[in-house]
Amino acid sequence: MKIKFHGHAFVEVDTGKHKILLDPFITGNPNCDVTLEDVKCDFIIPTHGHGDNFGDTVELAKRNDATVIGIYEIATYCSAQGLKAHPMNIGGGFNFPFGRVKLTMAQHSSSFPDGSYAGDAYGVILTIDGKNFYQAGDTGLFYDMKLIGEMYKIDAAFLPIGDDFTMGVDDAVKAVEFVKPAVVVPIHYDTFDIIKSDANDFKRKVESIGKKCVIMKPGDVLEI
Ligand code: NI
């Protein structure tokens, strides 16, 4: 699969047949390299209800007739707006036409921008053509990440390093020890002043424990 980074936590997964968006935050994202008009998708997976993750999910789902995959509360919210939605919950997996989605726990809050309840926040493991991609969502460090590393061979992990709202650099390095991905990409940093973080420091520390780190710029593609 090809994983294209669009700034903050927004990634576009292209399987060659389907496009899946995770955390499509375009409107208000100063680092986003695409517009609402540019983006084409078949499925959208927001990791929680916050504006910088749920983002433009509703508008993009409408424009593309895409299906929103999310925790029960997010799927219900989207269905109520006339969108196609598939409900899941943490620990559950489902085989979609493009591959398998499993929701993992994340240590984070979740509500929609209007303050209404959006269920729990979660991470996502996508299994497509035998490869496993873990997008941790917004989260603090938690010890059960070790289980993810034990039960999956993670080919790429996208982990937040911005601190303040999520893991900072040192906690994210510990997360790499737990998850043991073939490659880690830092996300959710530098978008706003409050989450300024040093990705090069993260990369150095990841490499010091013998793991690979790639710092992606908006528009960059990682193929696994
Ligand atoms: Ni959040």
Side-chain angles (χ1 to χ4, degrees):
M1 71 184 103
K2 288 181 179 161
I3 306 169
K4 194 171 198 178
F5 182 59
H6 291 302
H8 199 55
F10 177 14
V11 295
E12 173 184 339
V13 174
D14 189 343
T15 70
K17 285 184 188 159
H18 297 97
K19 285 189 176 178
I20 306 106
L21 307 182
L22 279 72
D23 288 341
F25 174 38
I26 297 173
T27 307
N29 179 354
N31 293 339
C32 190
D33 63 321
V34 289
T35 65
L36 286 169
E37 292 74 24
D38 293 336
V39 174
K40 300 287 175 260
C41 59
D42 305 289
F43 295 88
I44 304 173
I45 313 176
T47 61
H48 58 294
H50 290 160
D52 57 324
N53 301 84
F54 189 73
D56 297 287
T57 291
V58 172
E59 181 62 27
L60 288 168
K62 278 184 188 159
R63 283 172 182 256
N64 293 279
D65 195 28
T67 299
V68 179
I69 300 168
I71 203 161
Y72 178 79
E73 290 79 2
I74 283 182
T76 304
Y77 176 92
C78 291
S79 294
Q81 302 203 35
L83 305 176
K84 293 192 287 189
H86 180 105
M88 299 185 68
N89 216 317
I90 291 167
F94 190 85
N95 296 323
F96 290 91
F98 59 84
R100 184 167 178 83
V101 176
K102 185 171 181 183
L103 302 192
T104 70
M105 69 181 285
Q107 291 288 358
H108 195 70
S109 63
S110 181
S111 56
F112 290 107
D114 67 2
S116 60
Y117 182 58
D120 284 344
Y122 45 95
V124 178
I125 298 172
L126 294 182
T127 303
I128 297 170
D129 298 332
K131 301 280 186 176
N132 295 309
F133 167 44
Y134 173 47
Q135 209 273 38
D138 285 10
T139 187
L141 178 65
F142 57 93
Y143 199 66
D144 282 8
M145 284 180 177
K146 261 185 108 108
L147 277 178
I148 294 172
E150 284 174 17
M151 296 180 70
Y152 288 87
K153 180 184 161 293
I154 298 294
D155 296 286
F158 280 34
L159 302 180
I161 66 159
D163 219 347
D164 194 81
F165 296 119
T166 68
M167 298 187 285
V169 165
D170 291 334
D171 283 9
V173 172
K174 180 56 82 173
V176 172
E177 284 183 33
F178 288 164
V179 176
K180 298 179 288 186
V183 59
V184 61
V185 175
I187 59 170
H188 204 280
Y189 68 98
D190 283 2
T191 319
F192 310 108
D193 284 347
I194 198 171
I195 56 169
K196 280 226 173 301
S197 192
D198 187 345
N200 287 309
D201 182 40
F202 176 68
K203 183 175 164 76
R204 273 192 301 275
K205 287 174 173 169
V206 166
E207 287 170 351
S208 78
I209 60 167
K211 303 301 291 184
K212 185 178 176 190
C213 173
V214 172
I215 298 172
M216 294 177 76
K217 296 184 301 296
D220 283 356
V221 176
L222 177 75
E223 185 157 7
I224 60 171

